[in-house]
Amino acid sequence: METKFRVYRRKAQYYETDQMGMIHHSNHIRWFEEARVDILEQLGMDYEKMEKRGIRIPVLSVYCEYKSRICFNDMVLIIPKIENFTGVRMTISYQIIDELEGHLRAMGGSTHCFLDENNRPISLKRQHQDVYRLFMALKGKDIFARCQVG
Amino acid sequence: METKFRVYRRKAQYYETDQMGMIHHSNHIRWFEEARVDILEQLGMDYEKMEKRGIRIPVLSVYCEYKSRICFNDMVLIIPKIENFTGVRMTISYQIIDELEGHLRAMGGSTHCFLDENNRPISLKRQHQDVYRLFMALKGKDIFARCQVG
Amino acid sequence: METKFRVYRRKAQYYETDQMGMIHHSNHIRWFEEARVDILEQLGMDYEKMEKRGIRIPVLSVYCEYKSRICFNDMVLIIPKIENFTGVRMTISYQIIDELEGHLRAMGGSTHCFLDENNRPISLKRQHQDVYRLFMALKGKDIFARCQVG
Amino acid sequence: METKFRVYRRKAQYYETDQMGMIHHSNHIRWFEEARVDILEQLGMDYEKMEKRGIRIPVLSVYCEYKSRICFNDMVLIIPKIENFTGVRMTISYQIIDELEGHLRAMGGSTHCFLDENNRPISLKRQHQDVYRLFMALKGKDIFARCQVG
């Protein structure tokens, strides 16, 4: 399974810098979301499909630790990993790695639950077994070959 | 009518700076929106009320001219003015003025139409006469005493 | 000391919403910064002064837990508290409270160190005793009367 | 010259949506910048090189006209064109085109001057002839094959 995923690459944009000359720390949270959306899409569970099936995945919490500065025009890899998944909750970790040097620039995580279109909690195990099996199969796995980097 | 409106004051935030040490030029467009929302609220036409009546005011175009840099922690005044209003279209101009020095930092504009909940164009004159009269009364007026500043 | 501080009030902006109709979760991190900047200013330690003395306070980590949705035009109070301070590290917690209903919408935290203009770690205790005493005096204190809300 | 440039592709991100379910209009201004940075890089004049040579290209004005909504996950092409260039001023136009349908979603422009490291105006013709010739060669040209789309 490892080889079929593309790692999410992202260039740090000028408008994301701050007056310290580095990417403002709030953007890392947005990049986590980009990587999360991307891996769901690669899993065949893009936002539209999930929405049509009535599955929403809100953010319950986020955190980020900043290791070293990311500058304008740096190319980074954002590497998500499903750390835990119970069918009603999911925890994803993220590494942000400088593509050129392979250094870990930041790491973080997000926790999620699953809601239906009326904002009621869903158990994926009972209601969406195919989605449940997909997430369960990825749980704890380093799904990118490049994940060893850094 | 001039004296009853508060001018919209806004502090430039750290996360709005860029690596040139000034507020990134995309934020001015957001500040225009803040001032537009604020004046509509002061007119008794806040977003919720408008939405309940089925009036939406999308942005058709925006522009901004940058006169001089705005820095972190600068307090600015954002001064909208209804330059034109026909009942089906509205043009608003904006001045961004440094509160401390009274200098014009940027100026711009936005054009809007009016849509109902099904995204069909509305004529305010025929369908919402009270709103029509409000906008018409403000057309071309400097509604803030401070508007002369700069 | 409690009564002399203003609590930081903030209106949720339209451009901060996302397509779920609520404030996107990345903005809370920015609001924490706004409240942090504001309390430092109220303490007489605004960014410019700190910079002139060669003190910078970078973000080492952030986190946020989302309790319930914040919507466009909601007025929120953002209440920081220095949870820990050693002279070389500082941990600040934040509560985001709905002003109208007094409900806790989100809570979070940030950790910081202190650097000089050459990005070398500073011990405030040895190098900036007045700043050290200020932070130490606030450590663990609910500095806002409204902090009990929620 | 037309064939050697890659067109700038960009996915609309979730955090860029607003509560109308489309990309907030302020983001288009940021996308213009992304495309501008990208074409400068493709021309061999990336930000770092320009900065080392003491050339800065600030934004004097921007505008954008919104033709139709861009939604989350839409892939767009952002196509810049140097409309005018005098050596002291440059005007760039932009088209934002939906990759899937080929429709024009928005169009806009930005004007720029050239400053040295002390913020004094530069004449590229006199001071940086190679850069002058590059921009002059592109002036008025549709540099992308795909530019006909839409």
Side-chain angles (χ1 to χ4, degrees), chain B residues 3 6 49 90 96 102:
Chain B
T3 53
R6 281 173 290 101
K49 261 187 218 164
M90 181 163 59
I96 300 181

Side-chain angles (χ1 to χ4, degrees), chain C residues 104-119:
Chain C
L104 183 66
R105 295 292 178 212
M107 52 190 295
S110 60
T111 59
H112 305 267
C113 64
F114 305 93
L115 299 181
D116 67 16
E117 51 277 270
N118 302 118
N119 290 326

